[in-house]
Amino acid sequence: MMLDNFGVSEENWRDALGRTPADNDQPAAPADFALSESPRYVGRAIVALASDPARTRWTKKSVSCGQLSREYGFTDVDCSQPDIWRYIEEIRDRGLQANHNDYR
């Protein structure tokens, strides 16, 4: 739905960076949109956890898809490993600037 809102697809979603959604009642895509994850990325995280015989090591922990992708080696549909939460903690929360590609 978000891709539809910005008039893009999985293939060209980066074209929406900085663009106002089609209905024009929404603000422009935030810079953090550059670190968006596809539903498939989340699905791959679930499969990786479910397939891990030692998955109990994650019990009572909150982990992100980015953390899990580094641990298990899976990627998003564009072969990247977006890690929005690491970006938020290391860059945005500290008021710093960074290249979003460093967190993909």
Side-chain angles (χ1 to χ4, degrees):
M1 289 178 3
M2 185 172 209
L3 295 176
D4 288 343
N5 192 38
F6 283 96
V8 293
S9 66
E10 284 185 12
E11 291 76 34
N12 70 338
W13 67 270
R14 287 182 181 256
D15 293 346
L17 299 179
R19 183 190 302 167
T20 301
D23 65 15
N24 292 323
D25 290 335
Q26 301 286 329
D32 294 350
F33 185 65
L35 296 173
S36 295
E37 303 170 352
S38 75
R40 290 183 188 153
Y41 192 55
V42 176
R44 290 171 181 173
I46 293 167
V47 169
L49 281 172
S51 301
D52 183 357
R55 64 186 163 270
T56 56
R57 65 190 159 131
W58 302 107
T59 301
K60 296 186 180 183
K61 294 182 181 178
S62 293
V63 294
S64 68
C65 289
Q67 288 173 288
L68 294 174
S69 71
R70 287 192 309 277
E71 178 70 24
Y72 293 111
F74 63 87
T75 63
D76 207 340
V77 294
D78 65 355
C79 298
S80 70
Q81 292 177 305
D83 195 344
I84 184 66
W85 297 112
R86 187 169 62 93
Y87 169 79
I88 288 170
E89 290 174 356
E90 293 178 2
I91 303 301
R92 194 175 72 186
D93 284 354
R94 295 178 182 174
L96 304 173
Q97 297 293 319
N99 183 334
H100 283 99
N101 291 330
D102 295 340
Y103 292 86
R104 273 210 80 76

